[in-house]
Amino acid sequence: MKIVNKVPKSNPHLHLDLIKSGWIPMKEPKNVMSAILLSIPFMIVAAFISIGIINIFSSIALSDFGFTSDSISISINLGIIFLLVLLIILHELLHLIFIPHFIQSQKTYIGLTLFGGFVLTEEEISKSRYIFITIAPFMIISIIMPLLLGAFGLLTPTLKILIILNAMASSVDLLNLLLIIKQVPYHAILKNNGTNTYWKQRINGQVADENNIVMNKEV
């Protein structure tokens, strides 16, 4: 695992090698801003899902966000900033820990940018594992956590806000989930070259290549 301060760029030479080896590029947003814009509908849906789960146990009102009938009050203090940073770190760690052998991997990266945190791996990963890695933060923080906290009566206004913010921040993850489900066959593996994603079909547990069949390593 490597800690970096910017998202690794794709290698054009590796791109050609991957294409020659039978890897198929996914159709996906070309940059971060395009991904964010395309993920806005997922942001809305994810927020409503978390709000719906929270409402099972505890009401949620605009006053929890500082809105009242006659005024808007938003207070920002060091405690809130710390919790937001902690949320970003937790979100990315939940991506990271489900990547196979992430500690020993020299092709797995974690870091922070102006757009938030990121985790990226260039290891070969099965489709099912890739999907789990993609949606783990949303499922754990914005679905499972409010269910558990709500059952024990521990849903405070601050936690409600953080849970909903995480759901909204998971919108790009949900967009990626849809792209993977629509484009990648079930028995396939995925690999990244920077932010570009590729897939290759597996046949009877093996990876299909142009000229031969090679055994896929365990993922």
Side-chain angles (χ1 to χ4, degrees):
M1 179 184 69
K2 298 180 180 179
I3 300 175
V4 295
N5 56 15
K6 59 182 180 180
V7 180
K9 295 182 179 180
S10 64
N11 184 330
H13 300 293
L14 178 58
H15 170 78
L16 294 177
D17 290 341
L18 291 171
I19 297 299
K20 290 178 181 177
S21 299
W23 290 89
I24 300 173
M26 280 183 54
K27 297 176 181 177
E28 51 191 349
K30 299 301 181 183
N31 53 60
V32 174
M33 287 307 301
S34 296
I36 292 174
L37 290 174
L38 289 171
S39 69
I40 289 175
F42 297 93
M43 186 182 300
I44 297 169
V45 171
F48 275 107
I49 290 173
S50 287
I51 291 171
I53 293 172
I54 291 170
N55 271 323
I56 295 174
F57 304 98
S58 173
S59 62
I60 184 166
L62 290 177
S63 58
D64 292 334
F65 299 89
F67 295 93
T68 63
S69 58
D70 55 359
S71 66
I72 298 175
S73 175
I74 300 177
S75 60
I76 299 177
N77 54 50
L78 291 178
I80 293 296
I81 294 174
F82 173 77
L83 289 175
L84 287 174
V85 173
L86 190 63
L87 176 65
I88 293 172
I89 293 172
L90 178 60
H91 181 108
E92 299 307 329
L93 287 178
L94 287 173
H95 283 306
L96 179 68
I97 62 175
F98 294 111
I99 296 174
H101 316 298
F102 69 92
I103 294 177
Q104 297 87 357
S105 173
Q106 294 299 307
K107 299 179 181 180
T108 298
Y109 309 90
I110 183 170
L112 290 172
T113 69
L114 292 175
F115 297 99
F118 70 90
V119 167
L120 187 148
T121 184
E122 296 181 337
E123 300 286 355
E124 296 178 10
I125 300 178
S126 66
K127 179 183 178 180
S128 57
R129 175 65 73 92
Y130 202 99
I131 286 175
F132 187 76
I133 293 168
T134 300
I135 64 171
F138 174 66
M139 293 296 297
I140 294 173
I141 298 176
S142 295
I143 293 183
I144 297 175
M145 186 178 291
L147 286 172
L148 292 176
L149 293 176
F152 291 99
L154 300 175
L155 278 173
T156 65
T158 300
L159 286 174
K160 294 176 188 178
I161 293 171
L162 291 175
I163 287 168
I164 295 170
L165 286 177
N166 180 76
M168 296 172 68
S170 300
S171 60
V172 175
D173 295 335
L174 297 177
L175 172 63
N176 290 335
L177 172 65
L178 178 63
L179 295 176
I180 293 167
I181 291 174
K182 291 187 65 176
Q183 298 182 43
V184 181
Y186 180 75
H187 294 292
I189 57 172
L190 293 99
K191 179 179 177 63
N192 275 69
N193 172 20
T195 55
N196 296 334
T197 311
Y198 306 74
W199 64 269
K200 181 185 285 190
Q201 182 67 280
R202 291 196 299 185
I203 301 174
N204 296 326
Q206 298 176 324
V207 182
D209 207 339
E210 280 187 334
N211 302 314
N212 54 20
I213 298 289
V214 295
M215 292 301 296
N216 179 34
K217 64 181 179 181
E218 183 180 355
V219 293

